[in-house]
Amino acid sequence: MTPSAIIKLRFIAFTEKARLKIVVTVKQIPDPNATLKLTSDNRLARDGEVVLDPGDEYGVEAALRIKEAADEAEVVLVSMGPAKAADAIRKGLSMGADRAIHISDDGLAGADALTTAQVLTAAIKGESPDLVVCGCESTDGSTGMVPPMIAELLGFPQLTFAKQVEVSGSKVTIQRQTDVGYDVVEADTPALITVTAGVGEPRYASLKGIMAARSKEVKKVGLGDLGVTRGKPAEEVLEVVEAEKRQAGEVIEDDGNAVEKIVALLAKVKAV
Amino acid sequence: MAKIWVFAELAEAKVAPIVLELLAKARDLGGEVEAVALGKGASAAAETLGKHGTKKVYACDDEVFDQYVAQPATDTLEALVKSGSPDLLLFGFTYDSREVAGRLSARLGVGQVSNCLDVEAEGGGFVAKVPYFGGAKIASLKLNNQPAIVLIRPKSFEAKEVGGTAEVEKVTATVGADSKRAHLKERIAEKGEKVKLEDATIIVSGGRGMQGPENFPLLEELADALGGAVGASRAVVDAGWVPYSMQVGQTGKSVRPSVYIAAGISGAMQHTVGMKGSKVIIAINKDAEAPILKMADLGVVGDALKIVPKLTEAVKAKKKQ
Ligand SMILES: Cc1cc2nc3c(=O)[nH]c(=O)nc-3n(C[C@H](O)[C@H](O)[C@H](O)COP(=O)(O)OP(=O)(O)OC[C@H]3O[C@@H](n4cnc5c(N)ncnc54)[C@H](O)[C@@H]3O)c2cc1C
Ligand SMILES: Nc1ncnc2c1ncn2[C@@H]1O[C@H](COP(=O)(O)O)[C@@H](O)[C@H]1O
C-alpha cells in the first residue's frame, strides 16, 4: 500500500446523504515570524503581514481528506477578520476548499472569544453543516475557547484534539490526543471537531489550485447580514507591561571544567 | 466576601494536580473557597480538596461525566452556578477543563479569560494576567461579568496543604436530553511514562541542537541518572523526533521543576514561558549569544553532544559516593 492510500483510509466516508457539508473555521493571524506590535488600545495590531493560522491549515487539510474519501462533499471556509483576512482565505481556497464566507465589520474590532464564537456561529448556521472543523487553539491567542463555544452555540457535540478522524455514514470517530496515548471518541453528525498536527501535513497549493481559487466564491458579510449585535465585552485591557525577566547567572566557556561546575550546582540544590 | 469556585477536574478518579494549584490561589484571594467535582471519585476527592482549603464540595459521582465529553458537565455546572452564584469560577487551562469552561461560558453568555498566569481581586472584581507575544509581555484584563470565568495555566502556583475538611454536598447530574453525544469509548495507553513531565523535579530538555532523534537517548540516560524526565522544544516535536507530550512551552506544557537542564535549545520566548518558573536553570548551547544563556543560572557555552554524556557519567559517579 502506498503511504497516501494508508492516510486516506483514515477518512473512510460512506455517506447516505448525497452531500457531506464541512465548514472549516480559518483565522488570519499576524505573521508569527514578523515582529508583533500593539495598537494604541493594547490589542494585537492586525495591519502588518498576515498568514493563515498554521493550526487552521491542518483543519483545511483534514476537511479536504474527508472530502476526498467521501462520495460527494463540499468544504466551506468561514473566517472573521479585517479585509486582509482575504489573503488567508485565498490560501485555503488554493489548497482546495470550495468556497468561503468572510465576515468583516468595523464593529468587530477587538472582539473577544465569545463575540467571535457568536458571529462565526451565525454564519455557520446558515450553512447547516454536517461537520465543523477548527484548529485546537489559535497561534496568536492560544486560548482554545472559540471551538467549544461554537459547539455549544450550535448545540453540537465536540470531538477535540483529534490526531486522526474517521467519518463513516453519520458517525464521526476521532483519536483524541492524550499524554499517554489517545482516547477514542465518537459522535453522530452534526458535530464539531478540532484537529492537531497529527491529521497530516497540509498540502501546498498547486499552481492550478491558485488559479482556480481566483474564481471561487468569497461571500462578504457584515454584522447586519448575520443579525448579530455585539454585546458588552467580556473583558477590558487595563495595561500591558514587560514580563519579568529572570536574572542571568554565570556563563562559562566549556574548557573541560563545565561538567564539574554543573555537578557542583546540582549538588548544591541536592539534585545529586 | 467573594465566593470562589474551583472546578475540580478529576483524572482517573483522582484530583488533577492543577486543582490543588488553583485552590492555593483561591485561598490567597481571600474568598469563600468551594469546589465542584463531577464524575467517578468525586465524593472521595473531598478529602484531598478539604486538606487544600476547600470548605465545601459539590460532588456528583455519576459516571455520565466520564463517558460523555463536556456536555453533561456543562449542564450540571450551569444549574449549580445559577443556584450558587459564585463570583469567580476557576478552571485549569488543561485539555479537559477547557472544553467545559468554553461551553459553560457560551451557555451563560458571560465570556471568559483563558490561558492566564494569574488572577487578582481588584475593586470588587477580578483582573486576570495573560501572556502576550509568547510571554514577552503581560496584559491585565478586567473581567466584566459574573461569574468571572478564568482558566489558569498549570504550574502557575504552588499547591500547599493547609489541613481542613470539606463539607460534601451531593448533587444530582442535570443532563439535558441531547447532551449524551460525544461518547468516550476507549482509552488507549501507548506507552507508560516513567516520570510524568509535569510532576518531575528534574527535567532534561533537548532542542534542535541535539542534531537528531538518535541523540535523544543521551538525554534519557542523564534524566534516568538524575531520576528526572525528558522534555523538548517545539522545533524537535514538529520535526517528529519526539512526541508532543514532551513539548515544553506556550503550546506545550508548563513545568516548574527544581532543576531544568536545556540542551541545544535557543530559548525562544514561547519555550521559556513554559519553564521560567524552574528553580534552577542550566543551559548548554554552543552559541554564546543564545537567549537561553541570558536567563540560566549556569550557562555553558559548548557542545551538548559532548557534555551531556560526560555529565551523565559524573552524576552516576557522584551518586555512588
Ligand atoms: C505561536 C507559537 C507557539 C510556540 N510554542 C512553542 C512551545 O510551546 N515550545 C517551544 O519550545 N517552542 C514554541 N514555539 C517555537 C519557538 O519560537 C522556537 O522556534 C523553538 O522553541 C525553537 O526550538 P529550538 O530551541 O530547539 O531550536 P533552534 O531555535 O533552532 O535552536 C537550536 C539551538 O541549539 C544550539 N545548538 C546547535 N548545535 C548545538 C550543539 N551541538 N550543542 C549545543 N547547542 C547547539 C543552537 O545554537 C541554537 O541556539 C512556538 C512558536 C510560535 C510562533
Ligand atoms: N476570527 C476567527 N475566524 C475564524 N476562525 C476562528 C477565529 N478565531 C478563532 N477561530 C477558530 O478557532 C480556533 C481556536 O482559536 P482560539 O479559540 O482563538 O484559540 C482557530 O484555530 C480557528 O479555527
Side-chain angles (χ1 to χ4, degrees):
Chain A
M1 209 169 1
T2 61
S4 73
I6 296 170
I7 288 165
K8 272 198 187 156
L9 275 183
R10 292 177 176 178
F11 297 105
I12 324 162
F14 308 102
T15 39
E16 288 130 41
K17 260 177 60 181
R19 212 176 166 82
L20 180 72
K21 197 191 270 189
I22 309 166
V23 162
V24 188
T25 57
V26 293
K27 187 181 185 188
Q28 65 102 15
I29 57 158
D31 186 345
N33 298 316
T35 317
L36 301 179
K37 287 185 308 243
L38 286 177
T39 59
S40 55
D41 61 346
N42 280 327
R43 296 274 169 188
L44 195 54
R46 295 184 181 277
D47 54 354
E49 276 306 299
V50 297
V51 296
L52 169 59
D53 191 315
D56 290 335
E57 283 187 34
Y58 292 107
V60 175
E61 182 60 33
L64 292 174
R65 290 188 189 198
I66 295 169
K67 172 178 165 153
E68 282 157 7
D71 289 336
E72 219 197 324
E74 187 183 26
V75 176
V76 183
L77 309 178
V78 176
S79 185
M80 181 193 107
K84 277 215 160 197
D87 299 352
I89 291 170
R90 276 291 159 221
K91 165 109 190 246
L93 293 174
S94 305
M95 285 171 71
D98 297 293
R99 57 187 174 85
I101 300 173
H102 180 182
I103 309 151
S104 189
D105 196 303
D106 289 343
L108 282 169
D112 57 33
L114 183 56
T115 306
T116 305
Q118 285 164 338
V119 168
L120 291 171
T121 300
I124 295 167
K125 268 193 179 151
E127 294 291 331
S128 309
D130 303 287
L131 264 190
V132 177
V133 184
C134 310
C136 296
E137 58 188 36
S138 59
T139 299
D140 57 344
S142 295
T143 69
M145 285 292 109
V146 171
M149 285 175 162
I150 295 176
E152 172 62 29
L153 296 171
L154 288 170
F156 284 14
Q158 68 201 53
L159 301 110
T160 50
F161 310 106
K163 60 175 185 135
Q164 192 167 307
V165 183
E166 194 176 307
V167 182
S168 173
S170 60
K171 271 215 179 336
V172 197
T173 310
I174 65 144
Q175 290 188 1
R176 181 179 192 261
Q177 187 171 284
T178 62
D179 269 351
V180 292
Y182 61 89
D183 291 345
V184 178
V185 188
E186 193 174 273
D188 282 330
T189 54
L192 177 141
I193 62 176
T194 73
V195 297
T196 67
V199 295
E201 259 327 283
R203 65 197 63 193
Y204 286 108
S206 65
L207 196 56
K208 202 169 129 231
I210 294 169
M211 297 300 288
R214 289 192 188 147
S215 54
K216 286 180 178 168
E217 180 199 355
V218 180
K219 191 163 139 201
K220 288 243 159 74
V221 297
L223 282 179
D225 306 309
L226 295 173
V228 179
T229 43
R230 202 174 157 183
K232 186 172 97 174
E235 83 251 359
E236 219 172 289
V237 187
L238 298 180
E239 60 167 1
V240 179
V241 297
E242 291 293 322
E244 241 176 75
K245 290 213 173 72
R246 262 184 94 104
Q247 288 300 318
E250 188 187 1
V251 178
I252 56 167
E253 204 62 59
D254 178 32
D255 53 3
N257 292 334
V259 167
E260 229 168 85
K261 281 232 168 183
I262 297 174
V263 174
L265 179 57
L266 290 173
K268 199 172 128 198
V269 297
K270 303 197 165 57
V272 288
Chain B
M1 193 159 69
K3 191 191 263 189
I4 303 172
W5 281 12
V6 170
F7 180 66
E9 180 182 325
L10 301 171
E12 306 297 329
K14 297 229 158 53
V15 180
I18 173 74
V19 174
L20 307 181
E21 296 162 23
L22 295 177
L23 286 171
K25 181 69 210 186
R27 289 195 314 265
D28 276 358
L29 287 170
E32 190 183 332
V33 181
E34 301 183 342
V36 180
L38 305 175
K40 208 169 142 201
S43 303
E47 191 186 335
T48 308
L49 297 170
K51 279 187 191 148
H52 286 260
T54 314
K55 293 284 172 267
K56 184 174 182 178
V57 179
Y58 299 91
C60 180
D61 295 283
D62 199 319
E63 291 190 19
V64 68
F65 301 108
D66 305 291
Q67 286 157 355
Y68 295 93
V69 178
Q71 288 171 289
T74 306
D75 294 348
T76 303
L77 267 174
E78 181 196 16
L80 287 173
V81 165
K82 285 194 167 148
S83 61
S85 306
D87 299 291
L88 174 66
L89 195 46
L90 293 176
F91 286 88
F93 186 62
T94 63
Y95 279 6
D96 288 344
S97 290
R98 264 158 75 160
E99 311 231 26
V100 179
R103 282 195 97 105
L104 181 70
S105 122
R107 173 84 56 90
L108 298 171
V110 298
Q112 45 64 49
V113 181
S114 179
N115 196 16
C116 299
L117 301 169
D118 200 357
V119 58
E120 300 289 349
E122 232 175 85
F126 297 95
V127 174
K129 310 276 180 189
V130 181
Y132 270 22
F133 299 172
K137 292 181 193 287
I138 309 287
S140 298
L141 306 183
K142 180 171 178 293
L143 286 111
N144 287 333
N145 294 305
Q146 199 226 358
I149 298 180
V150 175
L151 291 86
I152 299 199
R153 291 183 68 92
K155 303 289 165 184
S156 296
F157 316 112
E158 226 159 306
K160 201 165 157 229
E161 227 182 88
V162 286
T165 46
E167 173 200 341
V168 179
E169 183 172 325
K170 296 246 186 194
V171 294
T172 46
T174 315
V175 180
D178 202 29
S179 290
K180 292 187 189 171
R181 302 276 299 278
H183 187 189
L184 176 62
K185 300 194 68 165
E186 225 181 324
R187 316 207 78 157
I188 311 281
E190 287 178 321
K191 59 166 175 78
E193 280 176 290
K194 281 184 242 168
V195 186
K196 271 182 105 176
L197 194 54
E198 51 273 59
D199 300 339
T201 53
I202 300 182
I203 293 176
V204 183
S205 258
R208 196 143 49 190
M210 289 306 291
Q211 310 296 337
E214 67 280 7
N215 293 323
F216 261 68
L218 298 178
L219 302 177
E220 272 156 39
E221 283 155 27
L222 177 56
D224 284 347
L226 288 164
V230 180
S233 74
R234 171 154 154 188
V236 307
V237 171
D238 284 352
W241 297 2
V242 297
Y244 172 73
S245 57
M246 282 167 67
Q247 183 178 315
V248 172
Q250 182 189 333
T251 43
K253 290 193 170 126
S254 287
V255 296
R256 214 174 232 237
S258 10
V259 179
Y260 189 91
I261 303 178
I265 292 178
S266 60
M269 268 300 168
Q270 294 92 353
H271 183 80
T272 59
V273 71
M275 47 65 83
K276 68 181 175 191
S278 308
K279 285 206 186 74
V280 170
I281 297 174
I282 300 170
I284 307 169
N285 196 300
K286 70 178 187 192
D287 174 9
E289 296 298 315
I292 192 90
L293 296 174
K294 298 195 174 64
M295 65 176 303
D297 299 277
L298 177 61
V300 178
V301 181
D303 187 345
L305 298 181
K306 295 205 180 109
I307 296 171
V308 171
K310 277 198 240 161
L311 182 56
T312 307
E313 290 317 310
V315 166
K316 282 187 187 157
K318 179 89 185 166
K319 285 216 161 170
K320 276 207 195 107
Q321 275 174 23

